[in-house]
Amino acid sequence: AAPTPTPHTMTRPLLLLLAAAAAGILALAATRAPPSAPLQSKLAAAKSMCAPRFRAALPGAATRGRRLAPVRSSETGGVGGGADPILLGLRAASPVMSLLKPVFKPLSKVQAGSYDAAATQKLIDADVKSSPVVVYGYALSPFCTKAVDVLKSAGVEPKVVDLGLEWIPGLISSQGAAIRAHLGETTGRTSMPHIFIGGQSIGGLVDGTPGLLPLRDSGELVSELKKARAL
């Protein structure tokens, strides 16, 4: 039977996202100076402790400079046919995150700094052409891990390009920051996940053009996946 949604399971993703946003905004204030030694130590500890756990939910994930081993569908606990309390919580959190988009886009440019736009576009083009379904995401993002779950439940093994643990300075790679900023310039979207099916951006998990869940809810996801030869 499907798990019964509770206030705890529905609000947990929202609290996590708000905490990450608050921490990120504070961290951005210090982007002009290198992190202190204690902060660097804490970030290194967070990466070593959290990355294996959360990246295991990103099957076939690929990071710049290293490839992560694919994870079998049976290990990720894909989305079932009933109500998923985490998905319900993410749907509820999405409008709140949308309010922050006007802030995130200019911040993504500041965070990326000066980067080679042409080279970054080539990287994105190569990623998008390399697989019928491509998901750009963060290892710690519940939106990203659930997007992969939804795709896996549809029978797809997407290529996941991991930009870092999160968008917060110190947790995203310089190349990840450049990709995020460039996607914002070319598609108007800096939030993750950013999903491509058949070479076309459909946006994120909850919203976009039209977004993964709207595509699934309308019954068009399978046909789009077949059209892209992902199924």
Side-chain angles (χ1 to χ4, degrees):
T4 302
T6 66
H8 174 71
T9 56
M10 292 183 67
T11 58
R12 197 169 105 186
L14 176 58
L15 293 175
L16 176 62
L17 289 166
L18 291 177
I25 291 170
L26 290 174
L28 275 172
T31 53
R32 294 181 179 273
S36 64
L39 178 57
Q40 288 178 331
S41 176
K42 289 179 181 179
L43 289 174
K47 290 178 184 179
S48 63
M49 178 178 65
C50 298
R53 175 184 172 187
F54 284 92
R55 283 183 174 143
L58 298 178
T63 59
R64 299 297 179 192
R66 64 189 185 278
R67 297 282 163 179
L68 303 178
V71 178
R72 296 190 300 272
S73 299
S74 59
E75 296 173 348
T76 61
V79 178
D84 183 321
I86 301 299
L87 274 181
L88 291 175
L90 294 176
R91 285 185 191 269
S94 183
V96 177
M97 297 306 294
S98 294
L99 296 176
L100 298 175
K101 286 182 179 179
V103 177
F104 283 156
K105 186 172 181 180
L107 285 181
S108 72
K109 296 179 182 179
V110 173
Q111 193 174 6
S114 178
Y115 68 91
D116 189 328
T120 302
Q121 184 62 56
K122 285 183 179 180
L123 284 175
I124 294 171
D125 289 342
D127 283 333
V128 170
K129 291 176 182 177
S130 68
S131 177
V133 181
V134 176
V135 179
Y136 287 95
Y138 307 127
L140 295 183
S141 167
F143 283 92
C144 298
T145 55
K146 273 300 176 182
V148 173
D149 280 347
V150 170
L151 288 165
K152 287 177 68 66
S153 71
V156 174
E157 193 74 27
K159 173 179 179 176
V160 179
V161 181
D162 182 8
L163 303 183
L165 291 179
E166 255 294 355
W167 68 273
I168 300 169
L171 300 185
I172 186 172
S173 67
S174 58
Q175 197 163 77
I179 289 173
R180 176 182 178 233
H182 198 69
L183 286 171
E185 287 295 305
T186 56
T187 70
R189 184 180 188 88
T190 59
S191 59
M192 299 295 150
H194 197 131
I195 305 164
F196 288 80
I197 296 179
Q200 300 298 314
S201 169
I202 67 161
L205 173 66
V206 179
D207 64 346
T209 51
L212 183 60
L213 290 181
L215 199 59
R216 186 193 70 171
D217 295 345
S218 69
E220 298 177 7
L221 178 58
V222 171
S223 63
E224 288 299 313
L225 292 172
K226 287 181 177 178
K227 193 185 302 182
R229 298 185 179 179
L231 291 176

